[in-house]
Amino acid sequence: MSYTGWILLTASLVGLSCGFIGVLLILRRMAMMADAISHTVLLGIVTAFLVTRELSGIHMLIGAIIAGLLTTVLVQWFHERGVQQEASIGVVFTSLFAIGVVLIATQVGNAHLDVKHTLMGEITFIPWEKTTIPWLGDVPEAVVLLSLVLLVVLLVIIGFYKEWKITSFDPALAASLGIPVVFMHYLFMSLVSVTTVAAFDAVGAIMVVAMLITPAAAAYLWTDRLSVMMILSGAFGVISAIAGYYIAAWLDTSISGSMAFSTGIMFMISFIGSPKHGLVAKWIRPQMLSS
């Protein structure tokens, strides 16, 4: 596969995984958890580096996942003790991210670990960091990792589809039916953490947040069916990734930034033109009824 092909495949895998997960985030009104986790994983990455003094390896992934889960636990802990969820997210997000930034400035030294790389990612480097896979040959490490994450996301969503549907729309009903709502919550936040961490190094925090929230928000405007919403959200993520790459090539600018910008364009198209909740449909419908 060509250099461009690997970049597009990596970004498309991010779009699919984040698109599927993002729908449940939107329905559960937890969109800002994506922003929180995508930033607080920096603390896990820095901590893993300080322990091992190595910039690559499974320990970085483990550290980031632990930081993501710590964010979820702390947010839930504060919320259960009377703090509004938005305030809980804001306090935990800013505090843990700030600790990560301070540790980089004071402890990391000359190692290539910086906040700019964290926010924007380096998707252009993806095709050069390869691993050998039987029958497939040399494949970028990010493609392998993101493919595995996408597979896990699909298996968990399909395997617990009924539970996700009930707990997202009516947690009280789910609890009365004997569905373990707390377990499902932490399982879901684990998926969010793993997906965020997997995409984090390749595309950066900004694109992760954009892919988790914006395609799902756009899909929400097109349909009220959960299965269709997830398919549309994944498709919008892939379309945004491909369109963003070519916009970046045209303008000679950041690829990840352009992909995030493309998700915004996709949302505006949906916001204006979707037949379910679009502005045009809302304007035409009363006109048709009155006539």
Side-chain angles (χ1 to χ4, degrees):
M1 188 179 290
S2 66
Y3 175 83
T4 298
W6 286 125
I7 292 178
L8 291 177
L9 177 58
T10 302
S12 296
L13 289 170
V14 173
L16 284 171
S17 299
C18 291
F20 297 148
I21 291 293
V23 169
L24 296 176
L25 274 173
I26 293 292
L27 293 177
R28 289 164 177 258
R29 299 181 181 180
M30 299 180 67
M32 292 313 297
M33 279 299 296
D35 192 22
I37 291 176
S38 66
H39 284 76
T40 56
V41 293
L42 175 66
L43 176 59
I45 291 172
V46 175
T47 304
F49 170 76
L50 292 176
V51 172
T52 64
R53 290 293 168 177
E54 295 181 3
L55 283 171
S56 60
I58 191 66
H59 59 276
M60 293 296 234
L61 180 63
I62 294 172
I65 291 174
I66 291 174
L69 293 176
L70 175 63
T71 302
T72 301
V73 171
L74 288 176
V75 168
Q76 189 68 18
W77 188 80
F78 282 122
H79 181 54
E80 288 175 351
R81 280 151 184 80
V83 182
Q84 291 185 349
Q85 189 170 56
E86 295 82 359
S88 300
I89 293 173
V91 169
V92 174
F93 157 35
T94 52
S95 299
L96 296 185
F97 182 64
I99 293 172
V101 172
V102 170
L103 287 176
I104 286 179
T106 60
Q107 301 294 325
V108 171
N110 295 323
H112 181 63
L113 193 63
D114 58 81
V115 177
K116 180 181 177 181
H117 176 80
T118 297
L119 294 177
M120 298 305 298
E122 288 293 351
I123 197 170
T124 53
F125 293 162
I126 293 300
W128 306 113
E129 300 173 356
K130 295 186 176 182
T131 186
T132 302
I133 303 296
W135 301 295
L136 295 177
D138 292 335
V139 178
E141 293 178 357
V143 171
V144 176
L145 178 60
L146 289 167
S147 297
L148 291 174
V149 168
L150 177 59
L151 179 61
V152 170
V153 167
L154 286 173
L155 289 175
V156 174
I157 288 178
I158 294 172
F160 295 97
Y161 181 77
K162 184 187 298 182
E163 287 80 0
W164 295 129
K165 194 172 185 177
I166 298 175
T167 55
S168 296
F169 288 102
D170 195 338
L173 174 61
S176 67
L177 293 174
I179 296 175
V181 177
V182 175
F183 170 76
M184 295 302 296
H185 171 75
Y186 283 109
L187 175 61
F188 173 62
M189 296 316 301
S190 298
L191 278 182
V192 175
S193 298
V194 170
T195 303
T196 301
V197 170
F200 186 81
D201 186 55
V203 300
I206 292 176
M207 183 175 160
V208 171
V209 174
M211 285 292 188
L212 277 169
I213 298 173
T214 318
Y220 184 84
L221 297 172
W222 287 86
T223 181
D224 292 330
R225 293 186 59 188
L226 179 58
S227 57
V228 177
M229 199 180 299
M230 284 189 169
I231 293 172
L232 285 176
S233 181
F236 289 162
V238 173
I239 293 170
S240 298
I242 296 173
Y245 176 82
Y246 288 104
I247 289 174
W250 176 44
L251 297 176
D252 190 23
T253 187
S254 166
I255 295 176
S256 294
S258 296
M259 289 177 179
F261 172 67
S262 295
T263 64
I265 295 176
M266 187 66 65
F267 176 80
M268 287 306 300
I269 292 173
S270 301
F271 183 69
I272 294 171
S274 70
K276 191 73 177 179
H277 301 291
L279 287 181
V280 174
K282 288 181 179 180
W283 180 79
I284 292 177
R285 199 172 296 123
Q287 305 295 327
M288 295 177 63
L289 293 174
S290 61
S291 62

